[in-house]
Amino acid sequence: MIYGYCRVSTKHQRITRQVTNITDIYPEANIIKEFYTGTTQNRPKWDKLMKLIKPGDTIVFDSVSRMSRNADEGFKDYKMLYELGVNLIFLNEPLINTSIFDSTKNNLLEISVQTGNSALDDYFKGNISLINNLLMALAEEQIKSAFLQAEKEVTDLHTRISQGMRESKKNGKKIGIEKGTTLVTEKSVKCKEIIKKHALDFGGTLSDSEVITLCGISRNSYYKYKRELKTQNT
């Protein structure tokens, strides 16, 4: 089974680019869309995928940051999935695909040295072992670096936002929406029209719960819109 894992931090962000990038190359991929932060691996759909995944399966990511923006947890999951026999593919960072890591392991030096001198043989074997350990360490370091870079990007973004807010405050600019400001959206306009037409408080025939269902909004939003409508009419 091939899975395409796509993730954004909130439902307000676009996920279509990731889906397109994966399905263009793997049209048969079973796409999983996650709207959850990447700074933790405890994500609902990721957790569900971890229970479904089997040896021989493949998980495709648009980039390493979609798998995790926490370097330690990301690398831990990478090693766990690799050891399970799951193939990991990163479209933007192909050098850390598990197939490359596997290739490094398969190409380790296998040299048998027999000089007739046991001390010399042990010396050569020790050096070959050191070289192989170094090659594996370098391969793992490359994978860790990719996750560290993803973590650094999100840390830098948060730092820039904080610096921008501090600078704006220092220059006397107000941050965020002022208290009492009414946001006007296409959905709020449509819902208010429905409320004015159907709610009992405005001469309609439907109860609050029925209008909430008709609007498809939360109770908090519904009563907020009602208050705003009543304020407008006073």
Side-chain angles (χ1 to χ4, degrees):
M1 175 70 74
I2 298 177
Y3 298 94
Y5 182 80
C6 306
R7 184 196 59 75
V8 290
S9 297
T10 70
K11 289 191 176 182
H12 300 293
Q13 294 175 290
R14 294 180 179 273
I15 203 168
T16 51
R17 179 186 58 79
Q18 295 178 49
V19 175
T20 300
N21 289 347
I22 292 173
T23 54
D24 278 352
I25 303 174
Y26 300 93
E28 73 279 26
N30 179 15
I31 299 297
I32 296 171
K33 299 178 184 179
E34 183 99 78
F35 299 90
Y36 214 83
T37 179
T39 55
T40 174
Q41 291 299 84
N42 297 318
R43 307 189 293 259
K45 293 192 177 181
W46 177 259
D47 292 342
K48 185 177 179 180
L49 176 59
M50 291 302 97
K51 293 175 182 177
L52 291 173
I53 207 76
K54 300 187 298 294
D57 287 345
T58 296
I59 307 176
V60 185
F61 305 87
D62 182 50
S63 69
V64 67
S65 63
R66 300 306 94 195
M67 179 177 175
S68 178
R69 283 181 169 174
N70 180 296
D72 290 336
E73 289 186 2
F75 182 68
K76 179 181 176 182
D77 273 4
Y78 182 105
K79 288 291 294 291
M80 180 270 292
L81 289 166
Y82 173 77
E83 289 167 3
L84 180 63
V86 175
N87 186 31
L88 302 178
I89 297 174
F90 303 90
L91 300 183
N92 289 332
E93 299 93 2
L95 289 178
I96 67 165
N97 290 350
T98 48
S99 60
I100 302 298
F101 188 61
D102 210 34
S103 177
T104 300
K105 288 188 69 174
N106 292 335
N107 287 308
L108 294 178
L109 296 175
E110 294 183 5
I111 302 174
S112 177
V113 178
Q114 294 181 335
T115 64
N117 183 312
S118 60
L120 193 57
D121 289 349
D122 288 342
Y123 171 78
F124 281 117
K125 287 177 184 177
N127 281 333
I128 292 168
S129 179
L130 284 173
I131 293 171
N132 285 338
N133 289 338
L134 176 61
L135 289 173
M136 288 305 302
L138 289 173
E140 288 196 0
E141 193 61 35
Q142 188 172 32
I143 296 165
K144 287 180 183 176
S145 295
F147 283 107
L148 283 169
Q149 180 60 32
E151 183 176 310
K152 182 178 182 300
E153 286 173 2
V154 73
T155 302
D156 288 349
L157 176 61
H158 291 163
T159 300
R160 289 196 299 271
I161 291 173
S162 297
Q163 288 175 342
M165 291 175 68
R166 287 197 299 270
E167 191 66 26
S168 294
K169 285 182 180 179
K170 189 164 66 173
N171 294 332
K173 294 181 181 179
K174 292 186 177 181
I175 306 298
I177 300 171
E178 291 187 21
K179 188 176 181 180
T181 300
T182 299
L183 288 177
V184 178
T185 64
E186 184 179 351
K187 185 170 184 177
S188 71
V189 171
K190 288 181 180 179
C191 287
K192 285 179 180 179
E193 289 297 325
I194 293 172
I195 293 169
K196 285 193 293 183
K197 183 177 180 180
H198 297 287
L200 286 170
D201 288 0
F202 296 93
T205 60
L206 299 180
S207 65
D208 286 342
S209 60
E210 288 172 326
V211 180
I212 289 171
T213 301
L214 189 62
C215 290
I217 56 176
S218 68
R219 293 179 65 84
N220 287 341
S221 294
Y222 172 72
Y223 288 113
K224 175 187 172 186
Y225 294 158
K226 271 185 68 173
R227 287 194 300 271
E228 291 174 357
L229 286 170
K230 287 179 178 179
T231 301
Q232 292 170 10
N233 292 337
T234 55

